[in-house]
């Protein structure tokens, strides 16, 4: 349809050109409602009433429909308006009814999205001197319908509403009103609509030509499929997105991933962050680089009144590593700030300490203890067991001036952000809580008190152990989603982070410029080639945020997560192509999200651990041509494995508890 868009509009208009008056239906013709059922409007009104006035009007949707049924029964074949409906809600006060009616009218207005094909046909008719007639069966007042038509930029000459006239299209009598009031012949006018009876058959019975609306037809976006069909938040969001999708296809992967996936996910998360801010009485939110870059933009868009209570902090293991070495137990803190590497080289360890003079540092160690085997590879476990603590301590001694300086700068940096002056929410995608834990340890060692609550997507058992009630995790605490889906999200969190990154390398160390402490970042390498695509994805995601805020911005209640999760599991080919080829600059070597050069083997479908250069398995499988059924098989196998391990873990814990009880 879109490829021949202008031709279709023009040919459709040519069919109308012989008529002086062109009549249009409104709902599902000129506009679409972003609800599955018009009765969802009443559920929205109930929810908005509670948010605004703090009163939950139990059973309001049912009572509202009963009132409409009563009003229609009393009128017989005559139609009703909204005042007649609310007259039969006698159990509510006048003020309550006024508020409810205002909210219903707002919801009707805000839930409208234009049908661009018919809106353009209408505009073309108007520009060519046709008389535009709007003919609708509706109880809403003229003022609301006028604002709806203004919203979609449709100009008209006449507006006939069944609620005003008392007659409906349903029995054809509203068309008689149109003919009589305009004093025209049925041959002068044609009516366009979507309903076979009301818009096609009934006008013909009055001698009026009729025509079905134009509408884009496209397959539903697979990411919007859901089992939560009775959930208002889900159906509202998915209808909103599907109508937008239908109106905009074809579109590129950046548009689809940004507007339809990343935008809803981030709005969902930010709504939760806002609730946490209120629940914990947080005075300031600090969004942690680098994923915090985009989350902060979304939060500021959603809650503009809080911009003075929002900041941005660069905080990671690289930045913390040297300052932590100044507060005692340096080998322990070095390991807490280690990289996720199974094997280390001494050159990598020197890089972690920002030692550029390899030979000087190695000579210093050799001089003191005679160690010379710097070409060896070291198991991470050996480092954790303290086997090389003597060498590490010598390296720390070698850079002691740098450690002291970085500690001083870090102290200044966090003081400038007000970390110790009020209750802080630290918003990030931490999993293990190590950054927050090490930060509080540093502040404590400096004799500074702080009150920090981590606000993150997911937390591990290690994070629970380190932080306890000083950390809240959106997914971990949520009971709407399964443990398995939480673990799949956790396994692919690197992919999500890259979509949110700022166009800047990772933070490395602190420096002083013009008397101010600044964070020096790594010079981007392969990731730099992704910046334009990531910026485009983020731009589309922000477009969604703005559109949704101007719509009925209901709490998404994990509907945004659901969409992101479906993309993770069953990505469209073009989206997998873009995302699998994103670059990841890393201490251990630059890589892609998935190495597509690696040949596929069917054993991968039943392998717990795929090669490490395939971090997003489902994307890799999609690009290798596997069917959705095959990916479902892989996920089912993983789910069985996860369930088995969970049961074994429970039995192990139970066994340990019993043994501890016996020993006591």
């Amino acid at each position: 349809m879109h490829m021949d868009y202008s031709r279709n509009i023009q040919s459709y208009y040519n069919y109308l050109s012989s008529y002086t008056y062109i009549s249009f239906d409104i709902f599902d013709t000129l506009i679409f409602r972003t609800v599955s059922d018009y009765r969802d409007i009443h559920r929205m009104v109930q929810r908005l009433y509670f948010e605004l006035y703090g009163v939950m009007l139990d059973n309001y949707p049912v009572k509202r429909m009963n009132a409409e049924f009563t009003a229609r029964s009393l009128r017989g074949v005559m139609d009703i308006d909204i005042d007649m409906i609310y007259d039969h809600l006698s159990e509510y006060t006048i003020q309550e009814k006024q508020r409810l009616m205002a909210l219903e009218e707002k919801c009707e207005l805000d839930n409208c999205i234009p049908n661009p094909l018919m809106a353009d046909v209408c505009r073309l008719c108007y520009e060519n001197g046709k008389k535009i007639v709007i003919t609708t069966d509706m109880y809403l007042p003229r003022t609301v319908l006028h604002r709806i038509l203004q919203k979609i930029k449709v100009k008209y000459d006449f507006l006939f509403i069944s609620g005003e006239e008392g007659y409906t299209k349903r029995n054809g009598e509203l068309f008689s009103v149109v003919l009589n009031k305009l004093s025209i012949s049925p041959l002068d006018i044609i009516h366009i609509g979507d309903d076979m009876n009301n818009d096609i058959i009934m006008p013909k019975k009055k001698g009026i030509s009729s025509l079905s609306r134009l509408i884009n037809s496209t397959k539903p976006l697979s990411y919007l499929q859901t089992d939560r069909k009775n959930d208002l938040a889900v159906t509202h969001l998915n209808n909103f997105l599907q109508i937008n999708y239908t109106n905009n296809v074809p579109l590129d992967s950046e548009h689809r991933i940004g507007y339809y996936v990343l935008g809803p996910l981030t709005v969902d998360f930010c709504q939760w962050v806002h609730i946490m801010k209120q629940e914990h009485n947080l005075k300031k939110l600090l969004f942690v680089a680098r994923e915090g870059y985009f989350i902060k933009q979304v939060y500021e868009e959603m809650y503009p009144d809080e911009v003075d209570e929002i900041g941005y902090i660069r905080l990671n293991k690289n930045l913390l590593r040297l300052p932590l070495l100044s507060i005692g137990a340096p080998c322990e803190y070095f390991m807490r700030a280690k990289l996720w590497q199974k094997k280390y080289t001494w050159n990598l360890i020197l890089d972690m300490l920002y030692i550029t003079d390899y030979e000087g540092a190695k000579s210093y160690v050799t001089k003191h203890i005679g160690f010379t085997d710097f070409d060896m590879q070291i198991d991470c476990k050996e480092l954790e067991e303290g086997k090389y603590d003597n060498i590490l301590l010598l390296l720390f001694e070698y850079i002691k001036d740098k450690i002291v300086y970085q500690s001083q700068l870090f102290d200044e940096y966090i003081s400038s952000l007000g970390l110790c002056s009020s209750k802080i929410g630290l918003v990030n995608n931490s999993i293990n809580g190590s950054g927050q834990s090490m930060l509080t340890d540093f502040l404590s060692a400096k004799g500074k008190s702080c009150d920090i609550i981590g606000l993150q997507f997911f937390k591990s058992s290690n994070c629970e152990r380190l932080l306890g009630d000083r950390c809240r995790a959106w997914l971990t605490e949520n009971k709407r989603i399964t443990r398995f889906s939480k673990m799949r999200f956790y396994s692919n969190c690197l992919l999500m982070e890259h979509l949110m990154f700022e166009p800047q390398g990772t933070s490395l160390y602190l420096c002083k410029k013009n008397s101010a402490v600044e964070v020096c970042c790594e010079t981007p390498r392969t990731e730099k080639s992704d910046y334009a695509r990531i910026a485009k994805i983020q731009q589309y995601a922000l477009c969604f945020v703005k559109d949704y805020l101007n719509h009925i911005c209901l709490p998404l209640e994990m509907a945004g997560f659901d969409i992101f999760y479906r993309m993770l599991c069953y990505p469209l080919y073009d989206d997998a192509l873009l995302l699998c080829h994103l670059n990841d600059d890393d201490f251990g070597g630059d890589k892609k999200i998935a190495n597509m050069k690696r040949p596929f083997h069917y054993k991968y479908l039943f392998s717990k651990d795929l090669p490490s250069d395939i971090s997003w398995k489902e994307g890799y499988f999609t690009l290798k041509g596997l069917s959705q059924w095959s990916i479902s098989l892989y996920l089912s196998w993983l789910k069985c494995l996860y369930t088995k391990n969970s049961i074994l873990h429970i039995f192990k814990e139970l066994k340990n508890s019993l043994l501890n009880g016996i020993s006591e």
Side-chain angles (χ1 to χ4, degrees):
M1 178 69 78
H2 273 259
M3 292 179 64
D4 300 321
Y5 182 88
S6 59
R7 191 178 70 185
N8 283 327
I9 295 294
Q10 188 61 52
S11 61
Y12 194 89
Y13 169 74
N14 291 341
Y15 185 85
L16 306 174
S17 60
S18 61
Y19 297 93
T20 305
Y21 294 83
I22 316 294
S23 171
F24 293 88
D25 171 45
I26 297 182
F27 293 91
D28 292 322
T29 298
L30 288 173
I31 60 111
F32 301 112
R33 280 182 172 127
T34 56
V35 289
S36 300
D37 187 313
Y38 76 96
R39 288 170 292 190
D40 286 345
I41 295 288
H42 309 147
R43 296 167 65 193
M44 287 182 184
V45 169
Q46 181 187 39
R47 181 170 295 191
L48 292 175
Y49 193 96
F50 176 73
E51 291 177 7
L52 287 171
Y53 305 111
V55 178
M56 177 55 73
L57 300 176
D58 293 330
N59 296 322
Y60 165 75
V62 174
K63 292 173 182 176
R64 163 63 179 77
M65 284 307 301
N66 288 341
E68 182 174 341
F69 177 79
T70 301
R72 291 192 184 281
S73 298
L74 293 173
R75 288 281 285 176
V77 296
M78 303 293 286
D79 209 7
I80 59 173
D81 61 25
I82 197 167
D83 291 321
M84 295 174 187
I85 296 172
Y86 276 84
D87 283 343
H88 293 282
L89 286 166
S90 55
E91 61 193 275
Y92 298 122
T93 66
I94 293 174
Q95 184 185 58
E96 286 173 335
K97 288 195 283 188
Q98 288 173 341
R99 288 173 171 176
L100 288 165
M101 192 184 301
L103 283 174
E104 181 170 343
E105 292 176 357
K106 172 181 169 55
C107 286
E108 288 283 10
L109 175 63
D110 290 350
N111 268 288
C112 291
I113 291 181
N115 174 359
L117 290 172
M118 289 314 307
D120 282 354
V121 167
C122 189
R123 281 190 283 270
L124 188 59
C125 290
Y126 189 86
E127 289 166 3
N128 281 277
K130 303 298 180 184
K131 296 296 183 182
I132 305 301
V133 182
I134 306 298
T135 312
T136 180
D137 278 355
M138 178 48 62
Y139 47 75
L140 290 172
R142 178 174 292 267
T143 52
V144 174
L145 296 176
H146 177 71
R147 289 172 65 194
I148 288 173
L149 293 166
Q150 277 188 318
K151 179 181 176 181
I152 64 171
K153 298 180 174 58
V154 162
K155 295 179 180 179
Y156 62 93
D157 298 289
F158 307 100
L159 173 57
F160 292 93
I161 310 166
S162 64
E164 281 186 358
E165 304 295 342
Y167 298 100
T168 69
K169 292 187 297 178
R170 189 170 55 253
N171 59 20
E173 292 308 308
L174 186 58
F175 294 109
S176 297
V177 172
V178 171
L179 294 175
N180 291 334
K181 288 198 170 183
L182 295 181
S183 300
I184 60 173
S185 163
L187 299 178
D188 295 330
I189 186 170
I190 185 171
H191 179 74
I192 302 167
D194 69 291
D195 188 276
M196 180 54 67
N197 178 73
N198 298 0
D199 297 308
I200 305 301
I201 296 173
M202 285 303 163
K204 286 183 177 178
K205 285 189 174 182
K206 298 296 180 179
I208 298 172
S209 297
S210 59
L211 189 62
S212 293
R213 65 179 178 184
L214 274 178
I215 185 172
N216 284 324
S217 58
T218 185
K219 289 176 63 177
L221 180 59
S222 58
Y223 303 154
L224 305 181
Q225 295 173 1
T226 179
D227 295 328
R228 294 166 58 188
K229 297 187 184 298
N230 293 323
D231 190 309
L232 179 61
V234 173
T235 57
H236 175 243
L237 175 66
N238 286 9
N239 276 296
F240 174 80
L241 290 173
Q242 184 58 51
I243 293 170
N244 271 284
Y245 180 72
T246 301
N247 286 347
N248 284 289
V249 290
L251 40 77
D252 57 26
S253 290
E254 289 90 345
H255 190 165
R256 184 165 47 244
I257 295 168
Y259 195 96
Y260 302 92
V261 181
L262 180 62
L265 173 74
T266 319
V267 167
D268 208 347
F269 178 65
C270 285
Q271 287 176 338
W272 175 82
V273 170
H274 184 64
I275 292 171
M276 293 298 102
K277 182 175 183 289
Q278 295 173 319
E279 184 176 316
H280 290 278
N281 194 28
L282 302 176
K283 302 303 179 185
K284 190 171 186 177
L285 294 175
L286 290 177
F287 292 82
V288 181
R290 293 189 281 165
E291 66 274 7
Y293 169 77
F294 180 69
I295 302 172
K296 177 175 178 284
Q297 291 182 65
V298 173
Y299 194 91
E300 287 175 333
E301 190 71 42
M302 293 176 66
Y303 307 105
D305 294 341
E306 298 180 17
V307 289
D308 294 335
E309 303 166 10
I310 293 171
Y312 191 59
I313 181 172
R314 297 186 183 280
L315 186 72
N316 63 12
K317 291 179 179 180
N318 300 326
L319 212 61
L320 283 160
R321 191 176 295 117
L322 294 191
L324 286 168
L325 299 181
S326 71
I327 65 172
C331 292
E332 177 189 338
Y333 277 112
F334 179 77
M335 292 314 299
R336 284 178 64 182
K338 67 181 183 297
L339 305 175
W340 291 106
Q341 300 282 128
K342 292 182 179 179
K343 298 282 187 179
Y344 285 77
T345 64
W346 283 109
N347 284 355
L348 178 58
I349 290 172
L350 295 176
D351 288 340
M352 291 167 65
L353 295 171
Y354 304 112
I355 296 173
T356 54
D357 182 5
Y358 287 2
E359 295 308 313
K362 292 173 183 178
S363 297
Y364 185 81
V365 172
T366 301
K367 177 182 174 182
H368 282 79
I369 59 172
F371 181 82
T372 58
D373 192 7
F374 290 103
D375 293 328
M376 66 184 297
Q377 274 205 332
I378 309 163
D379 286 335
C380 182
K381 188 175 181 180
E382 292 177 317
L383 284 172
E384 290 172 337
E385 291 171 347
K387 183 175 180 179
Y388 299 100
D389 280 3
N390 58 337
I391 301 175
L392 291 176
L393 288 170
L394 283 170
L395 292 174
F396 302 157
E397 176 69 21
Y398 182 73
I399 59 166
K400 62 181 179 181
D401 292 341
K402 186 182 292 185
I403 290 171
V404 170
Y405 185 57
Q406 285 296 304
S407 176
Q408 291 171 348
L409 292 182
F410 189 68
D411 197 2
E412 284 185 49
Y413 176 62
I414 57 180
S415 296
S416 70
L417 293 170
L419 265 166
C420 300
S421 60
S422 58
K423 196 169 185 180
I424 300 292
L426 204 63
V427 185
N428 58 63
N429 188 39
S430 174
I431 300 296
N432 295 306
S434 53
Q436 181 183 336
S437 172
M438 290 187 285
L439 172 63
T440 52
D441 284 359
F442 179 85
L443 290 169
S444 179
K446 296 296 181 180
K448 297 181 178 182
S449 61
C450 62
D451 194 352
I452 300 173
I453 300 288
L455 303 175
Q456 53 203 58
F457 287 82
F458 186 91
K459 62 180 175 182
S460 63
S461 56
N462 183 58
C463 180
E464 191 71 48
R465 180 182 59 80
L466 280 174
L467 299 177
D469 60 2
R470 291 179 291 123
C471 172
R472 301 293 301 272
W474 179 46
L475 299 179
T476 309
E477 298 175 15
N478 193 280
K479 295 179 181 179
R480 287 178 177 265
I481 53 177
T482 66
R483 290 185 177 183
F484 178 74
S485 61
K486 294 173 187 179
M487 293 307 299
R488 292 311 298 154
F489 178 90
Y490 163 66
S491 299
N492 292 292
C493 62
L494 179 67
L495 175 60
M496 182 202 69
E497 286 181 351
H498 273 273
L499 298 178
M500 296 178 170
F501 276 174
E502 62 179 326
Q504 180 65 274
T506 189
S507 303
L508 294 177
Y509 53 85
L510 295 153
C511 59
K512 209 152 192 177
K513 293 182 181 178
N514 300 322
S515 301
V517 177
E518 294 186 6
V519 177
C520 297
C521 297
E522 181 182 44
T523 301
R525 300 188 300 275
T526 56
E527 284 183 9
K528 192 173 183 179
S529 63
D530 298 330
Y531 284 172
R533 284 179 291 183
I534 295 298
K536 194 174 176 184
I537 289 170
Q538 292 177 357
Q539 179 185 356
Y540 280 120
L542 281 173
C543 284
F544 165 80
V545 176
K546 293 172 183 176
D547 288 350
Y548 198 65
L549 289 174
N550 290 326
H551 204 61
I552 302 292
C553 188
L554 293 177
L556 294 187
E557 300 171 350
M558 307 311 295
F561 170 81
D562 288 345
I563 294 171
F564 184 79
Y565 181 70
R566 282 191 292 275
M567 188 203 73
L568 281 182
C569 294
Y570 305 108
L572 297 177
Y573 184 91
D574 288 347
D575 298 348
L577 189 64
L578 187 157
L579 296 173
C580 282
H581 286 88
L582 291 177
N583 294 281
D584 181 37
D585 293 355
D586 191 69
F587 255 111
D590 298 345
K591 58 182 183 297
K592 302 277 188 182
I593 293 295
N595 176 16
M596 296 313 303
K597 294 180 180 178
R598 181 173 290 279
F600 170 74
H601 299 287
Y602 275 98
K603 66 179 181 180
Y604 288 168
L605 286 174
F606 301 98
S607 173
K608 179 182 174 184
D609 298 311
L610 269 68
S612 60
D613 56 1
I614 304 174
S615 64
W616 182 27
K617 282 71 174 177
E618 296 89 336
Y620 170 81
F621 291 152
T622 298
L623 293 187
K624 290 299 181 180
L626 270 70
S627 66
Q628 186 168 314
W629 183 88
S630 298
I631 296 174
S632 294
L633 184 65
Y634 165 73
L635 291 171
S636 297
W637 180 83
L638 276 186
K639 191 177 294 185
C640 291
L641 191 65
Y642 175 76
T643 303
K644 172 191 169 186
N645 291 337
S646 297
I647 293 171
L648 290 174
H649 177 73
I650 291 170
F651 276 113
K652 184 179 178 182
E653 291 291 314
L654 183 61
K655 179 182 176 182
N656 290 338
S657 297
L658 290 172
L659 290 174
N660 289 336
I662 292 170
S663 64
E664 290 174 3

